[in-house]
Amino acid sequence: MRILFLHDDIPTDAPPDAVDAVVQAEFIGKVLSQCGIESSRMAFTADLSAMRKRIAAAAPDLVFNLVESVGGAGRLIHLAPALLDAMAVPYTGAGTEAMFLTSNKLLAKRWLARGNMPTPAWAEINRGRLMAHGGAVFPAKYLVKSVWEEASIGIDDSSVILAAAAETLESEIKIRRQQLGGDAFAEVYVDGREFNLSLLTEGLGGCEVLPPAEIKFVGYPADKPRIVTYAAKWDESAFEYVNTTRTFDFATADRPLLDTLSDLARRCWTVFGLRGYARVDFRVDAAGCPFILEVNANPCLAPDAGFMAAAANAGLSNQAVVTRIVEDAR
């Protein structure tokens, strides 16, 4: 079997979140090599005609799709699976439709709301005006974030704002759009606990919910927002990186909550038509009510990332995880 890794086209001065795509390809390539499977790598660009020719020339048996952005734009992430669909080349992970639905966070929130699944109320700029959804009220704390970009790009402590009125929030969203990849929105800040639930393909179209992980904000000052910022993910010298930790250990009293999160994560798999692997991020408020923040159809598979940590906690080897993802390619 010949497997071709497709990943982002990484410039030499790329930030650490972009370089991570190559880190994943190198790691999974080694795992496949241990299984006796040959692999190669190719950067994916927006020149679809050229990409079609290059992929055809490589003649892979399947593609391991690790593309997270095209030309640095997360909004183009669905181009890779769309091209592979058109070429009838099997590939790992989510299909075109699921990739598009989940990468646009506003579209994903509408999809969740229509499925009667809990997600924080939000506000967006539509035709130059602020439009509130899901019961957004004022004054309230909001988190201003990117519509398309992942990896906490553009998120720092100042992203949590107290909006006294709709005009205040509208202004903040417009000011922050550029640093958030061009499009931004705001969702009600849920002051509480944060959880990640990883999902791995199992059986015919189903999934296994891997052990839940809670993100801990250790030693954070009382006035510092408990959020996973860009620094918390990528800046090893930052306070947030050192003091934002992950745990799989829970008190017995948390079991009903964890069961609820697992049920919601499994529903996301079905509602969004996910495949291969995925991760669902939650916040849980002080009353114990869960809210789905994001559905990630292609979470990071680097060896130090949350997905592989959850798999290891479930007793799954790297080879077992990669093999199940490859066998689910279609």
Side-chain angles (χ1 to χ4, degrees), residues 170-228:
E170 180 178 325
S171 175
E172 289 288 345
I173 294 174
K174 290 179 177 177
I175 289 171
R176 295 167 186 269
R177 282 189 294 203
Q178 281 310 115
Q179 76 179 65
L180 293 169
D183 284 322
F185 73 106
E187 67 182 3
V188 170
Y189 173 61
V190 178
D191 191 6
R193 301 169 71 182
E194 180 152 339
F195 297 82
N196 302 149
L197 272 78
S198 298
L199 307 170
L200 178 63
T201 178
E202 182 179 60
L204 191 60
C207 69
E208 175 184 359
V209 182
L210 300 179
E214 180 173 6
I215 305 301
K216 293 285 193 178
F217 303 96
V218 181
Y220 271 48
D223 59 348
K224 184 175 178 62
R226 270 84 169 149
I227 57 173
V228 181

Side-chain angles (χ1 to χ4, degrees), residues 122-123 130 132 136-144 158-173 176 185-189:
W122 73 99
L130 189 80
V137 296
F138 301 94
K141 279 188 177 180
Y142 286 83
L143 175 64
V144 182
S158 71
S159 300
V160 177
I161 64 168
L162 176 59
E167 292 76 12
T168 307
L169 189 58
E170 180 178 325
S171 175
E172 289 288 345
I173 294 174
R176 295 167 186 269
F185 73 106
E187 67 182 3
V188 170
Y189 173 61

Side-chain angles (χ1 to χ4, degrees), residues 7-8 10 18-27 41:
H7 58 76
D8 297 18
I10 311 296
V19 175
D20 195 61
V22 174
V23 173
Q24 294 178 66
E26 290 176 346
F27 167 64
R41 289 188 280 154

Side-chain angles (χ1 to χ4, degrees), residues 44-268:
F44 190 87
T45 72
D47 187 341
L48 298 187
S49 177
M51 287 308 307
R52 175 187 284 269
K53 293 176 183 175
R54 293 178 62 199
I55 293 169
D61 293 303
L62 67 86
V63 165
F64 205 114
N65 179 28
L66 294 173
V67 176
E68 297 178 345
S69 67
V70 180
R75 69 174 66 221
L76 300 180
I77 189 173
H78 59 285
L79 291 184
L83 178 61
L84 295 170
D85 282 338
M87 296 177 67
V89 174
Y91 56 92
T92 61
T96 305
E97 297 82 1
M99 196 67 80
F100 186 83
L101 273 174
T102 54
S103 58
N104 183 310
K105 299 183 186 71
L106 290 174
L107 195 54
K109 289 178 77 70
R110 290 190 179 91
W111 212 256
L112 289 168
R114 288 170 184 168
N116 293 318
M117 303 174 75
T119 188
W122 73 99
E124 62 182 297
I125 304 295
N126 190 330
R127 298 184 180 182
R129 298 175 51 199
L130 189 80
M131 303 290 289
H133 304 273
V137 296
F138 301 94
K141 279 188 177 180
Y142 286 83
L143 175 64
V144 182
K145 57 202 290 189
S146 174
V147 172
W148 292 98
E149 304 302 327
E150 301 290 346
S152 294
I153 289 175
I155 300 294
D156 57 25
D157 285 356
S158 71
S159 300
V160 177
I161 64 168
L162 176 59
E167 292 76 12
T168 307
L169 189 58
E170 180 178 325
S171 175
E172 289 288 345
I173 294 174
K174 290 179 177 177
I175 289 171
R176 295 167 186 269
R177 282 189 294 203
Q178 281 310 115
Q179 76 179 65
L180 293 169
D183 284 322
F185 73 106
E187 67 182 3
V188 170
Y189 173 61
V190 178
D191 191 6
R193 301 169 71 182
E194 180 152 339
F195 297 82
N196 302 149
L197 272 78
S198 298
L199 307 170
L200 178 63
T201 178
E202 182 179 60
L204 191 60
C207 69
E208 175 184 359
V209 182
L210 300 179
E214 180 173 6
I215 305 301
K216 293 285 193 178
F217 303 96
V218 181
Y220 271 48
D223 59 348
K224 184 175 178 62
R226 270 84 169 149
I227 57 173
V228 181
T229 61
Y230 186 87
K233 284 189 175 180
W234 305 108
D235 183 357
E236 296 183 6
S237 65
F239 169 88
E240 292 88 344
Y241 186 94
V242 175
N243 291 279
T244 304
T245 63
R246 180 191 306 117
T247 182
F248 295 96
D249 297 326
F250 294 97
T252 303
D254 282 327
R255 180 46 54 192
L257 170 63
L258 299 179
D259 288 344
T260 298
L261 299 181
S262 294
D263 289 343
L264 288 169
R266 198 181 295 277
R267 285 178 61 191
C268 286

